[in-house]
Amino acid sequence: MTKMIMVSVKPYDQKYFEQANQKFNLSIDYSPIHLTEETAHLFQGYSAICIFVNDIANEKVLNILKNNGIKLIALRCAGFNNIDLECAKKLGITVCRVPEYSPQAVAEHTVGLILTLSRKYHKAYNRVKEDNFALDGLLGFNLYQKTVGIIGTGKIGLATIKILIGFGCKVVCYDPSPNPVVNEIGAEYLPLDQVFQQADILSLHCPLTPQTHQLINTESIQKMKKGVCLINTSRGGLIDTQAIIAALKQKHVGYLGLDVYEQEADLFFEDLSDQIIEDDIFQRLLTFPNVLVTGHQGFFTQEALQCIAETSLTNIQKFEAQQAIPAEFICS
Ligand code: NAD
């Protein structure tokens, strides 16, 4: 019988996996420890490991896991930039993921970031708590008739476009693999530079790959409108953070909403409120009044957690029964 260890577990993960496992009855152990080069040796006696976005599965880790008997890595997320797939393939380790759990969860969070920045809800909330009902400093802007640029029109990009079309926005998109539905619902594809040039709001929904690493850099920012609102709910590595800080200081970037950050593995998903944060770049970001950061919570809805647990366990059950895991769930 497949014995699985699930790492980087929070109480909410365990709750949803235990609920879903009532149907599957798989043997699962839960560990709060992250998978790293230092911890990989701890996970012995298992044939499957379930990991999350900031667990590290590089060549060294994969070799340790292989020696420990791991045959399956089940990612309980969509992105798989944290795993050396070529090495996993060489070692004969199958890697599967949950490609779609709730694109709407991330799309709605994206629009939440845009609205919070455009209407300053975070500031209004604090003011009213202190009986300050003055409106000075809360002046916002309409989304209606603004041009929104969407980079990456896959599941989350498309769900975001649908919401923004409802707001009356003009939506311009870039994706090397265009989807005809995008045109059907009233958005249009343009070359990447034109999307940069036309967007009042620019939202990133492409995966992190060598081609998209630091897609947002000094050069691309120069092509954007002065005062652009930039949103990243995809992966931190899409943005050169030093370049964005310089652009915020120059007021070229007018608003920045982030749910992801390149060095988030040292910060996100943990309560660090009693600790000294050593990441000066991240701390600098937080000093800007027009920057809003959430800690990778785009996916974090009840519906998404339920779907993640059910899909992960279905993949593992298929693997255990030596049935083929459908191609869309396999990372390659
Ligand atoms: P998807 O695979 O459905 O869509 C990605 C799209 O990006 C595809 O259409 C692809 O053609 C396009 N693309 C690839 N290279 C590109 C490039 N160079 N420029 C522009 N587009 C490019 O993925 P998805 O489910 O929509 O997820 C998008 C990203 O969102 C994931 O890669 C993941 O990193 C991130 N994500 C974040 C959260 C969160 O909680 N914040 C949750 C889930 C996913």
Side-chain angles (χ1 to χ4, degrees), residues 12-13 16-17 299-310:
Y12 47 81
D13 295 314
Y16 279 90
F17 269 73
F299 73 99
F300 199 57
T301 65
Q302 297 164 13
E303 294 80 359
L305 289 192
Q306 203 175 339
C307 181
I308 288 170
E310 281 178 12

Side-chain angles (χ1 to χ4, degrees), residues 243-262:
I244 211 82
I245 287 173
L248 282 159
K249 285 164 80 175
Q250 291 153 5
K251 302 193 176 78
H252 196 108
V253 169
Y255 306 84
L256 178 67
L258 300 179
D259 188 45
V260 287
Y261 169 64
E262 190 155 24

Side-chain angles (χ1 to χ4, degrees), residues 62 73 83-95:
L62 289 170
I73 298 179
I83 205 158
D84 184 339
L85 283 184
E86 226 169 273
C87 175
K89 199 173 169 188
K90 256 192 258 160
L91 295 171
I93 299 175
T94 304
V95 183

Side-chain angles (χ1 to χ4, degrees), residues 216-225 243-244 247 252-253:
I216 306 303
N217 53 43
T218 306
E219 202 187 328
S220 54
I221 292 168
Q222 282 315 311
K223 295 174 187 159
M224 297 175 201
K225 283 187 182 171
I244 211 82
H252 196 108
V253 169

Side-chain angles (χ1 to χ4, degrees), residues 99 101 106 151-157 174-177 205-207 212 233-235 259-260 296 298-299:
Y101 35 91
V106 186
I151 313 276
T153 58
K155 293 174 285 294
I156 296 170
Y174 171 75
D175 192 312
S177 311
H205 300 287
C206 55
T212 61
T233 59
S234 195
R235 283 291 180 268
D259 188 45
V260 287
H296 207 140
F299 73 99

Side-chain angles (χ1 to χ4, degrees), residues 187-218:
E188 67 172 312
Y189 283 107
L190 291 176
L192 182 59
D193 276 359
Q194 288 188 35
V195 174
F196 285 147
Q197 284 156 10
Q198 293 189 17
D200 299 301
I201 298 162
L202 187 71
S203 192
L204 308 178
H205 300 287
C206 55
L208 177 62
T209 64
Q211 292 74 39
T212 61
H213 180 244
Q214 298 197 343
L215 180 75
I216 306 303
N217 53 43
T218 306

